[in-house]
Amino acid sequence: GLRNLKDTPSALKVWGEKSVATLFHEMNVLTPRELDARKEIEFENYILKIQIEARTMEDVVKSMIFPSVIDYQNKLITNVQGLCSVLGEKGGKIAAKGQIELIQRISEHLNKMKEAADCMLMERKAANKIEHSEERAIAYRDNVRVHFDEIRYHADKLELLVEDEMWPLPKFREMLFTR
């Protein structure tokens, strides 16, 4: 029967089944040995693609998003401190309520994004130590790729919180209206 194969490692695992190898062999498409070699190459390709995406994501997060978000946060902090020095501690905190809440929201997303990026890096290093390509591909799917959506989620939230001039990447709404 048909199975629900949602990812590359699951689909490639099917190639290892005797019925599939027999079918390919009987149809003179690939010998079992050739099919096995192709499967190995496809596992390696999958690993490489996820590895490149993870490394790129780590690089963008650490070298572009973090510094820009921290610069913006520092700008807000300076504003809050200025209000407090002009209006007094109590008056300044009342006047800066919105900025203080924004600083807290930015910190939450920044911390959660960093945790996910650090965890992804740790899992990637662990997966790279696995010798068998099928097991390594499964580790990349189950332990590395799972962090992509969380990192993107927090990056999307930060994109909405940080002022346009300080955000290092094209904002989604800007991309919608480019020609």
Side-chain angles (χ1 to χ4, degrees):
L2 289 174
R3 284 176 262 183
N4 195 3
L5 304 173
K6 293 184 177 182
D7 57 77
T8 302
S10 297
L12 289 174
K13 207 170 186 141
V14 174
W15 287 13
E17 293 177 8
K18 190 159 177 55
S19 61
V20 173
T22 303
L23 175 70
F24 273 82
H25 188 62
E26 286 174 358
M27 302 299 273
N28 289 322
V29 177
L30 295 169
T31 67
R33 189 177 173 145
E34 291 169 329
L35 183 62
D36 216 40
R38 288 264 174 104
K39 185 174 84 168
E40 189 75 17
I41 289 166
E42 291 304 323
F43 276 127
E44 291 296 337
N45 284 339
Y46 175 81
I47 292 163
L48 187 61
K49 284 177 186 172
I50 300 299
Q51 197 174 54
I52 290 168
E53 195 172 345
R55 283 179 172 166
T56 303
M57 193 175 280
E58 288 164 8
D59 186 47
V60 168
V61 164
K62 289 176 182 166
S63 70
M64 296 173 83
I65 294 176
F66 280 7
S68 300
V69 171
I70 290 167
D71 285 348
Y72 180 60
Q73 201 172 33
N74 283 333
K75 187 176 170 181
L76 291 171
I77 290 167
T78 301
N79 182 266
V80 170
Q81 289 169 337
L83 287 169
C84 288
S85 77
V86 171
L87 303 172
E89 192 71 27
K90 189 177 178 190
K93 284 194 174 168
I94 291 168
K97 185 177 185 284
Q99 289 98 308
I100 292 168
E101 287 174 9
L102 187 54
I103 291 166
Q104 288 169 331
R105 286 174 60 202
I106 288 170
S107 289
E108 285 172 26
H109 289 296
L110 201 61
N111 289 335
K112 287 178 181 170
M113 187 170 63
K114 183 173 184 332
E115 283 171 26
D118 289 348
C119 192
M120 181 177 69
L121 174 63
M122 194 177 67
E123 291 292 352
R124 192 167 57 76
K125 286 180 176 181
N128 287 339
K129 291 177 182 166
I130 299 170
E131 260 185 65
H132 192 260
S133 65
E134 183 175 342
E135 290 170 25
R136 192 166 60 250
I138 290 167
Y140 262 90
R141 177 195 66 196
D142 294 347
N143 305 333
V144 177
R145 195 171 179 280
V146 293
H147 297 288
F148 288 8
D149 288 340
E150 186 180 359
I151 292 167
R152 284 191 196 108
Y153 171 81
H154 294 293
D156 289 346
K157 293 296 182 186
L158 287 166
E159 176 186 310
L160 297 172
L161 298 173
V162 174
E163 71 178 33
D164 292 355
E165 293 75 30
M166 296 188 84
W167 188 252
L169 305 162
K171 290 205 172 191
F172 186 66
R173 68 172 183 276
E174 294 166 352
M175 289 189 287
L176 289 175
F177 301 107
T178 58
R179 290 174 191 236

